[in-house]
Amino acid sequence: MEATGSPPHSTTAVAPAAEDNAATIGLRPDSTTDIAPSPENNATQDPAVSQSISKSTSEPMEIIGSTAEPMEINDVAAGTAPESQTQLEPQPRKKRRRRKKIFTDMISSSASRLRLLRTQPKPSATGDLEDSASGQPRKRRGPADLSKEVDIEALIAISVGFPVDSLTEEEIEANVVSQIGGAEQANYIIVRNHILARWRSNVAVWLTKDQVLESIRAEHKNLVNAAYNFLLHHGYINFGVAPAIKDVKSKLFSETPKGSVIVIGAGLSGLVAARQLIFLGFKVVVLEGRARPGGRVRTKKMSGTDGSVVGAADLGGSVLTGINGNPLGVLARQLGFPLHKVRDICPLYLPNGRMVNSDVDSKVEVSFNKLLDRVCKLRQGIMDEIRSVDISLGTALEAFRRVYKVAEEPLERMLLDWHLANLEYANATLMSNLSMAFWDQDDPYEMGGDHCFIPGGNERLIRALAEDLPIFYDHPVESVRYGSDGVLVYAGGKEYQSDMVLCTVPLGVLKKGEIEFVPELPQRKKDAIGRLGFGLLNKVAILFPYDFWGGEIDTFGHLTEDPNMRGEFFLFYSYSSVAGGPLLVALVAGEAAVKFERMSPIESVSRVLEILKGIFSPKGIAVPDPVQAVCTRWGQDQFSYGSYSYVAIGASGDDYDILAENVADRVFFAGEATNKQYPATMHGAFLSGMREAAHIMRVAGRRSVAPAAKVNTVNYESKDLDPLFETPDLAFGSFSILFDPQSTDMESNALLRVAVGSEKSDSDNIYLYGYIQRKQAIELNTLEEDVKRMEMLTHNFQVRLVGSNSLCNAAESLISKIKSELELRSAV
């Protein structure tokens, strides 16, 4: 998640076939289109009418936190430029059904009972109040205004996931109030909501406790302390990658670490947890099996051989599902990334290319939703026995379909199959695998608001989150050994030692048993791993020379006559408005997603083109030859073995909680499959990382762990930097420079050492250190005297030299990267 506004950098370049499990086909380039994003609809704008798409709707949630790696295939498709570039004729627009979440009904009665804690500013001589920001007089707020403000703040808290009139389990564990229930709790909730809403109104700055106290009466200072500390430590406020946020966190870095943590996996949850743990005062290293960060979030930069057409395709996690309250929306705002709302319009096309009649479409959609409602009523009537009689959702729906004679005509059956394929996409598995009882247990928690794309791809967020973190790439973890003295992790033939370990690998990796745990994980956790499902969704991303399908829609669907292949390219996403070029992504769900992995890339792309030609050729619109195509292979990816989790038959939402439980206060778990409220989503992975960082802090506080143990087996202590400077990248006078081994950019960072002491003996020298940029180091080298260099360093660059024990956290991260590079060199 990168902080730049440019398309994804070299990490999206094609990787060797031996490392990747997707296929890329290079074809003929032509022209380009520009990104046309729309502004974000954030949580503070209109939370009372925020919307959320149910899993049962026709417009699916893009819920994967997973991707596949591309495998390059240098086959060039034959064909010439199309003879016709006729524009797509206007199509009737169909809006897919949504379920609204109206928060005002939920909070009006309870919020009115809460006490108002705001201070009343003193009136001016004219009876008005002066606005502190603008200096302009404003009217004094009365009780009604304050009550409305409390309601609005409650809405924002709800959008983030807090209950309206009770505490979360995390708040109870943190002892935010002395007694559950009563006036203190009610007042705490108002304070918590106020702090949360205030920071969300400007996520680019650090909100201090003193600023909060300015608007809360002094007698409630204890509640402010409790709420502020809870929100800060659990990552609900002051999180992210805004420059002001990062600057404050670097200054708050503690020189006395609370302990050491090894994070396994540099996906969303691992990156977020690592950043938060470092802020909380832990020594952290991240071990990642891939050669890049992001895990199942993967953006592929696509282009032709001459580069005239380019596009960025999200091969894994792509849609921000509900922007209100979504922490990924906060990151986008901090980085200045505009968001593109995914429009509701989704025309459906028959196998012969004709558009589905809107009346028939609506009729089948209503029938489909009624079938789901009847299944819900059935399980409500047998909830006491449901665990022992759980069956598949597919079986239950088919039984009701037969009883109520739904979709008996061929056209109606094809439409119903399309909706079933959409449901299999939302859950990444066949209907026959889904638990009738609990398949939708997370529906009540869905984020409200629009679904959005990030122009340029989600890897822009990944790069920003991974910046300056001590990540060891190409380090697949083989074994985790834990005991009363700490944790030993074996990865890439090396041993890493720490106080605790946070495992963020996908559920598919845990199911495969790719990581050995010694002692074995508790049976309770192994059972939950076995019960939960881990499904599959694949994609074909195709870059064309121009947009022939029209830019007024973001999705369109395709029906098939074969019910067993209903998920084969059933839905197309148009990325033209966000990819930087004319890009289509075809989805493969259900049984078709499994069979897809056995097809050749050429065969898969040919099938997509056949479908597209069937839709557009009858309209006189020629489908051009692709410029490039990529096929994912998530089931074959050794670092995921699938796409995202689902509730299988016999499982329940409780299994997500069991998966999140730590083992012996040493081994912790995060990732979308550990988040009961938001599984199978990118924001679910993000929130789980924040959750476990706070959990690790609580455990460390209870145990009062000793200062951090050595977190790797390098033969020198972390503060003994002399071996690193034996072969500096640049040396002049008393100055020595080490560059970032992972970047040659002139803006990249460097570690500076200045020798101060005797000119006769190096043993009498004292070394001071600074954190500078590569271009600054080169500029220092142009000067001839150390005196002039010091003057430039301190006055022009405003760099303060410090001892090795006082280096900032970013410098510590750079040191870890340099040590890792030395390790890899010595191993070769």
Side-chain angles (χ1 to χ4, degrees):
M1 301 179 182
E2 198 74 330
T4 65
S6 60
H9 63 8
S10 59
T11 59
T12 60
V14 178
E19 298 175 1
D20 299 328
N21 293 297
T24 303
I25 306 174
L27 301 167
R28 186 184 55 75
D30 198 1
S31 61
T32 62
T33 59
D34 296 326
I35 292 176
S38 64
E40 176 188 357
N41 174 22
N42 61 58
T44 61
Q45 290 178 341
D46 191 9
V49 293
S50 53
Q51 295 179 331
S52 176
I53 299 179
S54 169
K55 285 183 179 178
S56 63
T57 65
S58 299
E59 179 186 345
M61 290 171 46
E62 172 59 77
I63 54 177
I64 80 178
S66 19
T67 68
E69 301 285 321
M71 176 171 59
E72 189 71 26
I73 298 211
N74 296 319
D75 293 321
V76 179
T80 60
E83 297 178 0
S84 169
Q85 297 186 13
T86 307
Q87 292 299 312
L88 179 65
E89 64 187 41
Q91 302 289 350
R93 295 188 172 188
K94 174 166 181 59
K95 208 166 188 177
R96 296 285 155 198
R97 177 172 175 263
R98 291 187 175 208
R99 294 178 180 175
K100 290 186 178 181
K101 289 186 177 180
I102 306 300
F103 292 136
T104 49
D105 294 340
M106 299 169 59
I107 72 156
S108 56
S109 59
S110 55
S112 62
R113 298 193 301 267
L114 303 182
R115 300 181 180 184
L116 299 178
L117 309 181
R118 305 291 192 280
T119 57
Q120 288 283 1
K122 294 180 180 181
S124 65
T126 61
D128 290 333
L129 300 178
E130 186 176 277
D131 188 287
S132 59
S134 64
Q136 299 297 319
R138 59 181 173 85
K139 293 184 178 180
R140 181 172 182 171
R141 294 180 300 169
D145 296 321
L146 291 174
S147 180
K148 182 179 180 180
E149 184 179 326
V150 169
D151 282 355
I152 292 173
E153 291 173 353
L155 294 174
I156 294 172
I158 290 171
S159 74
V160 176
F162 284 97
V164 59
D165 54 5
S166 61
L167 303 178
T168 64
E169 292 182 8
E170 291 177 324
E171 287 175 306
I172 294 173
E173 290 179 7
N175 297 316
V176 295
V177 294
S178 59
Q179 183 178 357
I180 304 299
E184 183 188 21
Q185 175 177 302
N187 287 337
Y188 165 85
I189 290 173
I190 291 182
V191 171
R192 177 201 67 196
N193 295 351
H194 174 67
I195 297 172
L196 187 63
R198 183 162 177 177
W199 183 70
R200 284 274 176 156
S201 69
N202 187 358
V203 297
V205 301
W206 184 275
L207 178 65
T208 68
K209 193 180 298 183
D210 288 340
Q211 289 171 333
V212 176
L213 287 169
E214 292 174 357
S215 55
I216 302 294
R217 294 207 301 264
E219 59 263 33
H220 297 293
K221 183 177 180 179
N222 62 322
L223 295 179
V224 172
N225 288 333
Y228 183 89
N229 291 337
F230 172 83
L231 294 172
L232 179 66
H233 294 156
H234 286 73
Y236 289 107
I237 62 171
N238 294 338
F239 68 85
V241 290
I245 301 291
K246 293 167 66 177
D247 181 60
V248 173
K249 285 192 172 184
S250 66
K251 293 177 181 178
L252 293 177
F253 175 69
S254 173
E255 293 185 9
T256 305
K258 294 183 174 68
S260 58
V261 181
I262 295 172
V263 177
I264 302 176
L268 259 173
S269 57
L271 295 175
V272 170
R275 297 189 77 88
Q276 186 72 355
L277 285 167
I278 290 172
F279 162 62
L280 294 174
F282 290 86
K283 291 290 184 180
V284 176
V285 293
V286 183
L287 303 179
E288 168 56 48
R290 304 180 193 268
R292 60 164 183 85
R296 289 170 285 167
V297 177
R298 167 69 161 146
T299 303
K300 166 67 178 172
K301 184 177 180 180
M302 302 176 66
S303 64
T305 54
D306 64 358
S308 61
V309 181
V310 296
D314 277 318
L315 302 180
S318 57
V319 181
L320 274 61
T321 51
I323 199 61
N324 289 353
N326 195 319
L328 300 181
V330 171
L331 295 185
R333 289 168 61 190
Q334 291 177 333
L335 294 168
F337 297 165
L339 299 182
H340 173 80
K341 174 186 174 183
V342 181
R343 290 165 284 190
D344 286 348
I345 306 155
C346 182
L348 300 181
Y349 294 94
L350 294 168
N352 62 12
R354 294 174 56 191
M355 183 178 289
V356 174
N357 179 275
S358 60
D359 292 336
V360 178
D361 187 4
S362 298
K363 174 186 173 183
V364 174
E365 185 174 11
V366 170
S367 298
F368 170 72
N369 285 304
K370 284 184 178 179
L371 289 178
L372 286 175
D373 290 340
R374 289 189 173 101
V375 171
C376 291
K377 290 178 181 178
L378 170 65
R379 67 186 182 190
Q380 288 172 1
I382 57 172
M383 281 307 293
D384 292 338
E385 298 85 16
I386 198 76
R387 289 182 182 274
S388 60
V389 299
D390 193 11
I391 60 174
S392 77
L393 177 62
T395 298
L397 286 175
E398 177 61 17
F400 279 116
R401 187 194 71 81
R402 291 178 180 273
V403 168
Y404 291 98
K405 301 184 184 302
V406 173
E408 293 187 314
E409 297 296 324
L411 173 58
E412 293 179 351
R413 186 56 197 263
M414 279 193 293
L415 278 166
L416 181 63
D417 281 337
W418 188 90
H419 288 288
L420 294 174
N422 197 27
L423 207 56
E424 290 177 329
Y425 154 45
N427 293 276
T429 192
L430 282 68
M431 299 292 296
S432 58
N433 294 334
L434 285 174
S435 163
M436 181 196 74
F438 301 109
W439 71 276
D440 58 347
Q441 61 86 34
D442 59 312
D443 272 6
Y445 309 102
E446 287 178 1
M447 292 283 181
D450 296 321
H451 294 7
C452 298
F453 288 128
I454 292 181
N458 293 323
E459 197 169 90
R460 300 173 73 191
L461 296 182
I462 292 294
R463 294 201 302 266
L465 286 174
E467 186 179 6
D468 294 327
L469 284 180
I471 305 173
F472 294 174
Y473 295 108
D474 296 310
H475 274 60
V477 170
E478 303 147 10
S479 176
V480 174
R481 299 173 181 268
Y482 59 97
S484 59
D485 295 332
V487 179
L488 289 177
V489 176
Y490 295 89
K494 300 180 181 63
E495 176 185 295
Y496 299 83
Q497 178 182 352
S498 68
D499 296 312
M500 290 167 281
V501 64
L502 173 60
C503 181
T504 72
V505 300
L507 175 59
V509 174
L510 295 177
K511 281 180 168 291
K512 284 281 187 177
E514 293 287 287
I515 298 177
E516 177 191 31
F517 291 91
V518 182
E520 288 189 1
L521 296 176
Q523 191 61 44
R524 167 184 170 87
K525 186 176 287 287
K526 290 194 294 184
D527 290 344
I529 292 172
R531 283 191 298 265
L532 280 175
F534 195 69
L536 186 61
L537 172 73
N538 276 312
K539 299 182 179 182
V540 177
I542 304 180
L543 183 66
F544 288 95
Y546 58 87
D547 180 344
F548 62 87
W549 55 91
E552 73 278 3
I553 58 174
D554 291 318
T555 58
F556 60 91
H558 173 260
L559 277 57
T560 182
E561 295 176 348
D562 184 358
N564 294 323
M565 294 298 289
R566 61 193 177 203
E568 183 189 37
F569 313 125
F570 79 103
L571 185 65
F572 289 80
Y573 272 109
S574 168
Y575 275 69
S576 293
S577 56
V578 294
L583 182 74
L584 275 180
V585 175
L587 302 186
V588 195
E591 186 175 346
V594 179
K595 294 181 178 179
F596 174 82
E597 300 209 344
R598 299 193 291 267
M599 296 173 62
S600 72
I602 298 294
E603 183 182 358
S604 298
V605 174
S606 296
R607 174 63 180 143
V608 175
L609 294 176
E610 179 186 339
I611 292 173
L612 292 174
K613 289 175 181 177
I615 294 173
F616 294 103
S617 293
K619 300 173 175 55
I621 301 172
V623 176
D625 292 327
V627 173
Q628 189 182 30
V630 179
C631 300
T632 66
R633 294 285 187 269
W634 283 112
Q636 299 174 22
D637 185 80
Q638 64 174 320
F639 298 114
S640 61
Y641 293 109
S643 299
Y644 43 95
S645 63
Y646 65 89
V647 183
I649 301 171
S652 72
D654 294 340
D655 290 316
Y656 289 108
D657 288 338
I658 296 172
L659 211 59
E661 293 173 353
N662 82 80
V663 179
D665 281 354
R666 294 291 181 185
V667 184
F668 299 78
F669 294 85
E672 57 86 10
T674 70
N675 195 323
K676 179 179 180 179
Q677 288 78 21
Y678 309 107
T681 64
M682 291 186 291
H683 58 268
F686 184 104
L687 292 169
S688 74
M690 285 294 192
R691 178 199 70 213
E692 288 310 301
H695 191 186
I696 289 171
M697 183 184 69
R698 287 198 302 271
V699 170
R702 290 199 304 263
R703 190 167 54 228
S704 298
V705 295
K710 192 169 56 176
V711 292
N712 57 43
T713 56
V714 182
N715 293 325
Y716 37 79
E717 295 297 327
S718 61
K719 293 305 180 184
D720 181 10
L721 302 180
D722 290 345
L724 298 182
F725 283 92
E726 288 179 357
T727 56
D729 296 309
L730 192 62
F732 43 88
S734 300
F735 289 62
S736 300
I737 309 291
L738 295 175
F739 295 136
D740 185 340
Q742 298 180 6
S743 176
T744 58
D745 192 288
M746 294 301 290
E747 301 289 335
S748 62
N749 298 314
L751 184 66
L752 163 71
R753 186 179 77 168
V754 180
V756 181
S758 172
E759 297 181 357
K760 298 179 180 180
S761 173
D762 290 341
S763 61
D764 295 333
N765 282 337
I766 296 175
Y767 295 111
L768 297 178
Y769 300 86
Y771 188 60
I772 62 176
Q773 292 181 327
R774 178 187 287 256
K775 65 181 181 180
Q776 292 174 331
I778 294 174
E779 192 172 349
L780 288 172
N781 190 29
T782 62
L783 302 179
E784 295 182 355
E785 298 177 5
D786 280 353
V787 174
K788 294 180 179 179
R789 293 170 183 141
M790 287 296 296
E791 184 176 352
M792 174 177 283
L793 186 70
T794 56
H795 292 89
N796 295 29
F797 301 158
Q798 295 186 338
V799 172
R800 183 171 64 93
L801 297 177
V802 297
S804 60
N805 289 324
S806 300
L807 282 168
C808 66
N809 187 51
E812 293 279 3
S813 298
L814 177 58
I815 291 170
S816 295
K817 288 183 182 179
I818 296 170
K819 289 180 180 179
S820 177
E821 180 70 15
L822 290 178
E823 280 186 321
L824 294 175
R825 289 177 185 173
S826 62
V828 175

